[in-house]
Amino acid sequence: MKAKAEKKKSLWREIWKNKAVYLIMLPGIAWFVLFAYGPMSGLQLAFKTYSMKLGIWGSPWCGLENFEYVFRDPSFLKSVGTTLWINAGRLIFQFPIPVILALLMNELRLKRYKKVVQTVLTFPQFLSWVIVASIVINILSYDGLVNSIIAAMGGETVNFTGNAKLFQPLLYITENWKSAGWSAIIYMAAISGIDMDQYEAADLDGASRLQKIFRITLPNILPTISVMFVLQMGSLMSGGFDQIFNLSNPAVKDVSEILDMYIYDITFGSTPDFSFSTAVSLFRSVVNCAFLVAADRGAKALGGSGLFG
């Protein structure tokens, strides 16, 4: 008991000693409590039959009934498959692009040119998906720029935005254009922390630029890549709603109905069911958490630092 009391006293002493730091942290902690942890009480809707008259707390409990309905719905199972398929492609065709961009920008020797390139690549991140989707649709529509060029050259117009086979590649291309430059900043920051003595030693040994990339730069930023990969795995069942919502149309519904779109439809459809949609959201969060933990353990098993070091 005395040892516990001493620990508590020493803890409060440390907090008081660093009170300025804790005061700075206080607004962030308050934000998380109010807007991240507080709303989690609404997850009880997944186990209730929601009634607008009774509210969240007054609605009657129904156990796992909502989850039984969820797993009986063929549309739900199809949306899970579509989500995993699209996000698996994101790991292959999107995740490496910021790393490659960071490596390429690091090799630029002219500082002014390097700043211009970085500014151009990061600017699209500040555009909303409403704007980006409008640009893409106007360029790729039947009477858009691309089809106008094809028609002028005597070719047949192509339905880019309504072709189910082209929809998934379109997602990866537009996402890379919009966010790859912004994501590359993280890797460039990791590269800037590498000890320059390693490069000087490599120059003395006559190493080429390519050898320095693979023998020095990549191994040093591997912990950062590992952490970002784990975080990416943690959103394998979600993400991309804004993009898909703005780029999709009825012609590509079969390949664009991800889990987030499914939740949106059942929540704001003709007959909204908040208990059902909460059950689906809870399922998605649990699966994302499982992917996150599995990826973290896998990264550590392969010698990486993982998410928590």
Side-chain angles (χ1 to χ4, degrees):
M1 293 294 289
K2 289 182 178 180
K4 287 184 179 179
E6 284 297 324
K7 282 184 179 180
K8 284 184 180 179
K9 285 182 181 179
S10 62
L11 176 62
W12 284 111
R13 284 196 207 101
E14 285 296 319
I15 291 173
W16 181 252
K17 184 180 178 182
N18 301 287
K19 55 184 180 295
V21 177
Y22 285 99
L23 282 172
I24 294 171
M25 291 171 59
L26 195 60
I29 294 170
W31 185 91
F32 270 100
V33 171
L34 290 173
F35 300 106
Y37 292 102
M40 287 178 70
S41 61
L43 290 175
Q44 63 183 293
L45 267 183
F47 308 97
K48 288 187 172 185
T49 302
Y50 179 67
S51 170
M52 293 187 72
K53 288 184 179 180
L54 299 173
I56 295 175
W57 296 98
S59 298
W61 294 92
C62 65
L64 298 175
E65 187 178 326
N66 289 316
F67 291 94
E68 291 176 7
Y69 291 144
V70 166
F71 288 102
R72 287 178 190 168
D73 188 359
S75 298
F76 164 75
L77 298 175
K78 186 178 180 182
S79 67
V80 169
T82 303
T83 304
L84 290 173
W85 179 252
I86 289 176
N87 286 337
R90 290 187 191 278
L91 288 175
I92 299 169
F93 300 109
Q94 286 182 202
F95 181 77
I97 301 302
V99 181
I100 295 169
L101 273 179
L103 293 173
L104 291 175
M105 283 193 286
N106 184 58
E107 293 301 312
L108 294 175
R109 292 293 177 260
L110 295 175
K111 289 185 178 180
R112 185 176 296 179
Y113 180 66
K114 185 177 180 178
K115 289 180 180 179
V116 171
V117 171
Q118 189 173 350
T119 303
V120 170
L121 291 175
T122 55
F123 173 74
Q125 176 67 24
F126 300 99
L127 301 176
S128 71
W129 273 113
V130 177
I131 297 171
V132 174
S134 300
I135 294 170
V136 171
I137 291 169
N138 284 325
I139 291 174
L140 299 179
S141 62
Y142 269 119
D143 56 349
L145 177 64
V146 175
N147 274 318
S148 296
I149 294 171
I150 292 172
M153 296 176 67
E156 294 184 5
T157 56
V158 181
N159 185 13
F160 292 104
T161 56
N163 192 324
K165 293 181 179 179
L166 297 177
F167 182 74
Q168 200 167 338
L170 183 64
L171 292 181
Y172 303 146
I173 292 169
T174 52
E175 179 66 34
N176 282 329
W177 176 79
K178 186 178 186 297
S179 63
W182 179 262
S183 300
I185 294 174
I186 298 171
Y187 302 108
M188 290 183 69
I191 292 171
S192 66
I194 299 173
D195 188 359
M196 294 303 295
D197 290 343
Q198 297 181 46
Y199 292 103
E200 291 172 5
D203 288 332
L204 291 173
D205 290 337
S208 65
R209 281 195 177 188
L210 200 60
Q211 287 174 325
K212 284 187 282 187
I213 289 172
F214 285 101
R215 299 294 177 88
I216 299 174
T217 311
L218 271 176
N220 276 282
I221 66 171
L222 195 59
T224 305
I225 296 172
S226 176
V227 169
M228 297 305 295
F229 179 78
V230 171
L231 291 173
Q232 183 81 7
M233 286 292 293
S235 60
L236 205 61
M237 286 288 287
S238 58
F241 172 77
D242 290 345
Q243 179 192 23
I244 293 175
F245 181 79
N246 286 287
L247 286 174
S248 63
N249 55 72
V252 295
K253 187 175 181 180
D254 287 341
V255 294
S256 66
E257 189 76 5
I258 61 170
L259 199 55
D260 287 342
M261 293 286 287
Y262 175 81
I263 294 170
Y264 176 84
D265 289 338
I266 61 177
T267 305
F268 302 104
S270 55
T271 55
D273 189 339
F274 296 107
S275 296
F276 189 81
S277 59
T278 305
V280 178
S281 298
L282 182 58
F283 166 80
R284 180 193 63 183
S285 300
V286 170
V287 174
N288 274 337
C289 185
F291 278 128
L292 182 69
V293 173
D296 183 64
R297 297 288 176 84
K300 288 179 180 177
L302 293 172
S305 59
L307 191 58
F308 303 104

